[in-house]
Amino acid sequence: MNLKTFLYGLFLVLPFFLASCGDDDLKNANSVSSNKVILTRDRTIGVDITYSDSARIKAKGYAPIMDKVTPNNGSAYQEMIKGVNIDFYNPNGTIDGNLVCDYAIRKDTELKTEFRKNVVVKNSKGDTFSSQELIWDESKKIFYSNQRVYVKGVDGSIGEGINFKAPQDFSTYEMDSGNGELNMKEGVAP
């Protein structure tokens, strides 16, 4: 069969296919298309973010790109597709911790921020926490993760575990299924 015969046959059969679409098919197509979710995305470049509580600065962050996404049905969220770099402040107003990651999303109605991809946190003691995901719950004022979290103490101790949980200043932490190496000082027990 040559190309000319094929095209001729296609033009003869095409009207029959088009005629087979009835009114019901068109109504169904319209009802499916009316269930579309429409997103409004407002992009801001070079965003400085300040988090305060009781008129005291708790954290300052920077996001190279922040998209505010508002769906036509559902709740709005902010997406930081190039990550964030956040400094935490102590009551004296000096930096005592830091968080960096490659991606973050803040969900407005849940009051939660998910930090993902290469998340690294340093606390005031110099301990380093790293994971592929940490979630900050604003209302409970805690960080948590069901992903594996690695901890490196300033004293050289290392550990890892899952079901991680820490207050927002990372002064203490707890996790399950942990293992690691702990450096202990010799001395007299109290």
PDB file of all heavy atoms in Angstrom, residues 81-105:
ATOM      1  N   ILE A  81      11.250  25.777  45.870  1.00  0.00           N
ATOM      2  CA  ILE A  81      11.789  24.727  45.006  1.00  0.00           C
ATOM      3  C   ILE A  81      13.313  24.707  44.954  1.00  0.00           C
ATOM      4  O   ILE A  81      13.890  23.711  44.543  1.00  0.00           O
ATOM      5  CB  ILE A  81      11.202  24.842  43.583  1.00  0.00           C
ATOM      6  CG1 ILE A  81      11.545  26.185  42.964  1.00  0.00           C
ATOM      7  CG2 ILE A  81       9.702  24.612  43.605  1.00  0.00           C
ATOM      8  CD1 ILE A  81      11.178  26.303  41.493  1.00  0.00           C
ATOM      9  N   LYS A  82      13.956  25.762  45.363  1.00  0.00           N
ATOM     10  CA  LYS A  82      15.423  25.814  45.404  1.00  0.00           C
ATOM     11  C   LYS A  82      15.935  25.767  46.840  1.00  0.00           C
ATOM     12  O   LYS A  82      17.080  26.111  47.101  1.00  0.00           O
ATOM     13  CB  LYS A  82      15.944  27.072  44.710  1.00  0.00           C
ATOM     14  CG  LYS A  82      15.647  27.143  43.239  1.00  0.00           C
ATOM     15  CD  LYS A  82      16.498  26.163  42.480  1.00  0.00           C
ATOM     16  CE  LYS A  82      16.271  26.342  40.990  1.00  0.00           C
ATOM     17  NZ  LYS A  82      17.082  25.450  40.197  1.00  0.00           N
ATOM     18  N   GLY A  83      15.072  25.372  47.779  1.00  0.00           N
ATOM     19  CA  GLY A  83      15.473  25.191  49.157  1.00  0.00           C
ATOM     20  C   GLY A  83      15.458  26.455  49.985  1.00  0.00           C
ATOM     21  O   GLY A  83      15.007  27.516  49.532  1.00  0.00           O
ATOM     22  N   VAL A  84      15.934  26.321  51.218  1.00  0.00           N
ATOM     23  CA  VAL A  84      15.990  27.432  52.168  1.00  0.00           C
ATOM     24  C   VAL A  84      17.269  27.337  52.986  1.00  0.00           C
ATOM     25  O   VAL A  84      17.890  26.281  53.102  1.00  0.00           O
ATOM     26  CB  VAL A  84      14.780  27.456  53.127  1.00  0.00           C
ATOM     27  CG1 VAL A  84      13.493  27.720  52.404  1.00  0.00           C
ATOM     28  CG2 VAL A  84      14.686  26.194  53.940  1.00  0.00           C
ATOM     29  N   ASN A  85      17.634  28.461  53.584  1.00  0.00           N
ATOM     30  CA  ASN A  85      18.732  28.548  54.542  1.00  0.00           C
ATOM     31  C   ASN A  85      18.196  29.383  55.700  1.00  0.00           C
ATOM     32  O   ASN A  85      17.890  30.563  55.522  1.00  0.00           O
ATOM     33  CB  ASN A  85      19.954  29.208  53.902  1.00  0.00           C
ATOM     34  CG  ASN A  85      21.154  29.201  54.807  1.00  0.00           C
ATOM     35  OD1 ASN A  85      21.039  29.065  56.019  1.00  0.00           O
ATOM     36  ND2 ASN A  85      22.328  29.365  54.213  1.00  0.00           N
ATOM     37  N   ILE A  86      18.063  28.773  56.880  1.00  0.00           N
ATOM     38  CA  ILE A  86      17.426  29.425  58.023  1.00  0.00           C
ATOM     39  C   ILE A  86      18.401  29.487  59.194  1.00  0.00           C
ATOM     40  O   ILE A  86      19.009  28.482  59.554  1.00  0.00           O
ATOM     41  CB  ILE A  86      16.155  28.662  58.463  1.00  0.00           C
ATOM     42  CG1 ILE A  86      15.163  28.558  57.310  1.00  0.00           C
ATOM     43  CG2 ILE A  86      15.512  29.335  59.666  1.00  0.00           C
ATOM     44  CD1 ILE A  86      13.996  27.640  57.573  1.00  0.00           C
ATOM     45  N   ASP A  87      18.524  30.664  59.797  1.00  0.00           N
ATOM     46  CA  ASP A  87      19.292  30.842  61.030  1.00  0.00           C
ATOM     47  C   ASP A  87      18.308  30.952  62.190  1.00  0.00           C
ATOM     48  O   ASP A  87      17.323  31.690  62.109  1.00  0.00           O
ATOM     49  CB  ASP A  87      20.141  32.120  60.979  1.00  0.00           C
ATOM     50  CG  ASP A  87      21.298  31.999  60.006  1.00  0.00           C
ATOM     51  OD1 ASP A  87      21.869  30.897  59.886  1.00  0.00           O
ATOM     52  OD2 ASP A  87      21.626  33.010  59.360  1.00  0.00           O
ATOM     53  N   PHE A  88      18.592  30.218  63.284  1.00  0.00           N
ATOM     54  CA  PHE A  88      17.773  30.267  64.488  1.00  0.00           C
ATOM     55  C   PHE A  88      18.439  31.181  65.498  1.00  0.00           C
ATOM     56  O   PHE A  88      19.655  31.182  65.638  1.00  0.00           O
ATOM     57  CB  PHE A  88      17.608  28.866  65.082  1.00  0.00           C
ATOM     58  CG  PHE A  88      16.932  27.902  64.145  1.00  0.00           C
ATOM     59  CD1 PHE A  88      17.672  26.953  63.463  1.00  0.00           C
ATOM     60  CD2 PHE A  88      15.568  27.962  63.937  1.00  0.00           C
ATOM     61  CE1 PHE A  88      17.055  26.068  62.591  1.00  0.00           C
ATOM     62  CE2 PHE A  88      14.940  27.077  63.069  1.00  0.00           C
ATOM     63  CZ  PHE A  88      15.689  26.134  62.390  1.00  0.00           C
ATOM     64  N   TYR A  89      17.624  31.941  66.233  1.00  0.00           N
ATOM     65  CA  TYR A  89      18.137  32.921  67.195  1.00  0.00           C
ATOM     66  C   TYR A  89      17.763  32.525  68.617  1.00  0.00           C
ATOM     67  O   TYR A  89      16.663  32.050  68.871  1.00  0.00           O
ATOM     68  CB  TYR A  89      17.564  34.312  66.889  1.00  0.00           C
ATOM     69  CG  TYR A  89      18.129  34.898  65.617  1.00  0.00           C
ATOM     70  CD1 TYR A  89      17.628  34.535  64.381  1.00  0.00           C
ATOM     71  CD2 TYR A  89      19.181  35.804  65.670  1.00  0.00           C
ATOM     72  CE1 TYR A  89      18.161  35.062  63.214  1.00  0.00           C
ATOM     73  CE2 TYR A  89      19.720  36.331  64.510  1.00  0.00           C
ATOM     74  CZ  TYR A  89      19.208  35.958  63.285  1.00  0.00           C
ATOM     75  OH  TYR A  89      19.748  36.463  62.138  1.00  0.00           O
ATOM     76  N   ASN A  90      18.689  32.773  69.550  1.00  0.00           N
ATOM     77  CA  ASN A  90      18.406  32.520  70.967  1.00  0.00           C
ATOM     78  C   ASN A  90      17.773  33.776  71.570  1.00  0.00           C
ATOM     79  O   ASN A  90      17.667  34.815  70.893  1.00  0.00           O
ATOM     80  CB  ASN A  90      19.679  32.084  71.710  1.00  0.00           C
ATOM     81  CG  ASN A  90      20.751  33.152  71.721  1.00  0.00           C
ATOM     82  OD1 ASN A  90      20.482  34.345  71.571  1.00  0.00           O
ATOM     83  ND2 ASN A  90      21.991  32.732  71.906  1.00  0.00           N
ATOM     84  N   PRO A  91      17.354  33.743  72.838  1.00  0.00           N
ATOM     85  CA  PRO A  91      16.711  34.920  73.450  1.00  0.00           C
ATOM     86  C   PRO A  91      17.592  36.169  73.481  1.00  0.00           C
ATOM     87  O   PRO A  91      17.094  37.280  73.556  1.00  0.00           O
ATOM     88  CB  PRO A  91      16.385  34.445  74.872  1.00  0.00           C
ATOM     89  CG  PRO A  91      16.251  32.967  74.755  1.00  0.00           C
ATOM     90  CD  PRO A  91      17.253  32.562  73.708  1.00  0.00           C
ATOM     91  N   ASN A  92      18.916  35.989  73.413  1.00  0.00           N
ATOM     92  CA  ASN A  92      19.824  37.145  73.395  1.00  0.00           C
ATOM     93  C   ASN A  92      19.917  37.790  72.015  1.00  0.00           C
ATOM     94  O   ASN A  92      20.578  38.809  71.854  1.00  0.00           O
ATOM     95  CB  ASN A  92      21.226  36.737  73.851  1.00  0.00           C
ATOM     96  CG  ASN A  92      21.223  36.232  75.273  1.00  0.00           C
ATOM     97  OD1 ASN A  92      20.410  36.662  76.085  1.00  0.00           O
ATOM     98  ND2 ASN A  92      22.116  35.306  75.567  1.00  0.00           N
ATOM     99  N   GLY A  93      19.303  37.169  71.016  1.00  0.00           N
ATOM    100  CA  GLY A  93      19.326  37.726  69.665  1.00  0.00           C
ATOM    101  C   GLY A  93      20.517  37.298  68.829  1.00  0.00           C
ATOM    102  O   GLY A  93      20.749  37.863  67.762  1.00  0.00           O
ATOM    103  N   THR A  94      21.265  36.304  69.281  1.00  0.00           N
ATOM    104  CA  THR A  94      22.390  35.808  68.496  1.00  0.00           C
ATOM    105  C   THR A  94      22.027  34.469  67.860  1.00  0.00           C
ATOM    106  O   THR A  94      21.198  33.716  68.377  1.00  0.00           O
ATOM    107  CB  THR A  94      23.663  35.646  69.358  1.00  0.00           C
ATOM    108  OG1 THR A  94      23.373  34.763  70.432  1.00  0.00           O
ATOM    109  CG2 THR A  94      24.123  36.979  69.913  1.00  0.00           C
ATOM    110  N   ILE A  95      22.678  34.175  66.746  1.00  0.00           N
ATOM    111  CA  ILE A  95      22.408  32.937  66.018  1.00  0.00           C
ATOM    112  C   ILE A  95      22.950  31.765  66.829  1.00  0.00           C
ATOM    113  O   ILE A  95      24.099  31.758  67.235  1.00  0.00           O
ATOM    114  CB  ILE A  95      23.062  32.972  64.626  1.00  0.00           C
ATOM    115  CG1 ILE A  95      22.442  34.082  63.782  1.00  0.00           C
ATOM    116  CG2 ILE A  95      22.924  31.622  63.938  1.00  0.00           C
ATOM    117  CD1 ILE A  95      23.141  34.332  62.465  1.00  0.00           C
ATOM    118  N   ASP A  96      22.081  30.769  67.036  1.00  0.00           N
ATOM    119  CA  ASP A  96      22.548  29.584  67.753  1.00  0.00           C
ATOM    120  C   ASP A  96      22.197  28.284  67.029  1.00  0.00           C
ATOM    121  O   ASP A  96      22.300  27.207  67.600  1.00  0.00           O
ATOM    122  CB  ASP A  96      22.040  29.566  69.197  1.00  0.00           C
ATOM    123  CG  ASP A  96      20.546  29.330  69.315  1.00  0.00           C
ATOM    124  OD1 ASP A  96      19.846  29.376  68.290  1.00  0.00           O
ATOM    125  OD2 ASP A  96      20.072  29.091  70.432  1.00  0.00           O
ATOM    126  N   GLY A  97      21.818  28.378  65.777  1.00  0.00           N
ATOM    127  CA  GLY A  97      21.526  27.181  64.990  1.00  0.00           C
ATOM    128  C   GLY A  97      21.244  27.544  63.549  1.00  0.00           C
ATOM    129  O   GLY A  97      21.081  28.720  63.202  1.00  0.00           O
ATOM    130  N   ASN A  98      21.211  26.511  62.694  1.00  0.00           N
ATOM    131  CA  ASN A  98      21.008  26.734  61.265  1.00  0.00           C
ATOM    132  C   ASN A  98      20.356  25.509  60.648  1.00  0.00           C
ATOM    133  O   ASN A  98      20.595  24.383  61.093  1.00  0.00           O
ATOM    134  CB  ASN A  98      22.372  27.008  60.602  1.00  0.00           C
ATOM    135  CG  ASN A  98      22.263  27.196  59.116  1.00  0.00           C
ATOM    136  OD1 ASN A  98      22.438  26.250  58.365  1.00  0.00           O
ATOM    137  ND2 ASN A  98      21.980  28.406  58.692  1.00  0.00           N
ATOM    138  N   LEU A  99      19.539  25.723  59.626  1.00  0.00           N
ATOM    139  CA  LEU A  99      18.925  24.648  58.855  1.00  0.00           C
ATOM    140  C   LEU A  99      19.063  24.995  57.386  1.00  0.00           C
ATOM    141  O   LEU A  99      18.756  26.122  56.981  1.00  0.00           O
ATOM    142  CB  LEU A  99      17.443  24.487  59.205  1.00  0.00           C
ATOM    143  CG  LEU A  99      16.667  23.385  58.480  1.00  0.00           C
ATOM    144  CD1 LEU A  99      15.579  22.824  59.380  1.00  0.00           C
ATOM    145  CD2 LEU A  99      16.066  23.829  57.172  1.00  0.00           C
ATOM    146  N   VAL A 100      19.523  24.038  56.575  1.00  0.00           N
ATOM    147  CA  VAL A 100      19.571  24.202  55.119  1.00  0.00           C
ATOM    148  C   VAL A 100      18.963  22.959  54.481  1.00  0.00           C
ATOM    149  O   VAL A 100      19.032  21.863  55.040  1.00  0.00           O
ATOM    150  CB  VAL A 100      21.009  24.434  54.578  1.00  0.00           C
ATOM    151  CG1 VAL A 100      21.574  25.737  55.060  1.00  0.00           C
ATOM    152  CG2 VAL A 100      21.913  23.287  54.924  1.00  0.00           C
ATOM    153  N   CYS A 101      18.353  23.141  53.324  1.00  0.00           N
ATOM    154  CA  CYS A 101      17.803  22.022  52.569  1.00  0.00           C
ATOM    155  C   CYS A 101      17.654  22.443  51.112  1.00  0.00           C
ATOM    156  O   CYS A 101      17.753  23.626  50.784  1.00  0.00           O
ATOM    157  CB  CYS A 101      16.472  21.558  53.141  1.00  0.00           C
ATOM    158  SG  CYS A 101      15.137  22.747  52.955  1.00  0.00           S
ATOM    159  N   ASP A 102      17.381  21.471  50.259  1.00  0.00           N
ATOM    160  CA  ASP A 102      17.238  21.730  48.827  1.00  0.00           C
ATOM    161  C   ASP A 102      15.798  21.992  48.395  1.00  0.00           C
ATOM    162  O   ASP A 102      15.560  22.419  47.269  1.00  0.00           O
ATOM    163  CB  ASP A 102      17.786  20.548  48.023  1.00  0.00           C
ATOM    164  CG  ASP A 102      19.282  20.369  48.180  1.00  0.00           C
ATOM    165  OD1 ASP A 102      19.961  21.330  48.597  1.00  0.00           O
ATOM    166  OD2 ASP A 102      19.781  19.263  47.889  1.00  0.00           O
ATOM    167  N   TYR A 103      14.821  21.717  49.258  1.00  0.00           N
ATOM    168  CA  TYR A 103      13.405  21.894  48.916  1.00  0.00           C
ATOM    169  C   TYR A 103      12.610  22.036  50.206  1.00  0.00           C
ATOM    170  O   TYR A 103      12.904  21.371  51.197  1.00  0.00           O
ATOM    171  CB  TYR A 103      12.889  20.684  48.126  1.00  0.00           C
ATOM    172  CG  TYR A 103      11.406  20.728  47.857  1.00  0.00           C
ATOM    173  CD1 TYR A 103      10.902  21.382  46.741  1.00  0.00           C
ATOM    174  CD2 TYR A 103      10.495  20.133  48.728  1.00  0.00           C
ATOM    175  CE1 TYR A 103       9.531  21.430  46.496  1.00  0.00           C
ATOM    176  CE2 TYR A 103       9.130  20.180  48.490  1.00  0.00           C
ATOM    177  CZ  TYR A 103       8.661  20.830  47.376  1.00  0.00           C
ATOM    178  OH  TYR A 103       7.313  20.889  47.141  1.00  0.00           O
ATOM    179  N   ALA A 104      11.585  22.887  50.189  1.00  0.00           N
ATOM    180  CA  ALA A 104      10.695  23.019  51.351  1.00  0.00           C
ATOM    181  C   ALA A 104       9.296  23.377  50.878  1.00  0.00           C
ATOM    182  O   ALA A 104       9.115  24.002  49.832  1.00  0.00           O
ATOM    183  CB  ALA A 104      11.208  24.089  52.310  1.00  0.00           C
ATOM    184  N   ILE A 105       8.315  22.962  51.670  1.00  0.00           N
ATOM    185  CA  ILE A 105       6.920  23.309  51.390  1.00  0.00           C
ATOM    186  C   ILE A 105       6.230  23.581  52.722  1.00  0.00           C
ATOM    187  O   ILE A 105       6.347  22.796  53.668  1.00  0.00           O
ATOM    188  CB  ILE A 105       6.202  22.191  50.588  1.00  0.00           C
ATOM    189  CG1 ILE A 105       4.773  22.606  50.242  1.00  0.00           C
ATOM    190  CG2 ILE A 105       6.243  20.872  51.317  1.00  0.00           C
ATOM    191  CD1 ILE A 105       4.103  21.683  49.234  1.00  0.00           C
TER     192      ILE A 105
END
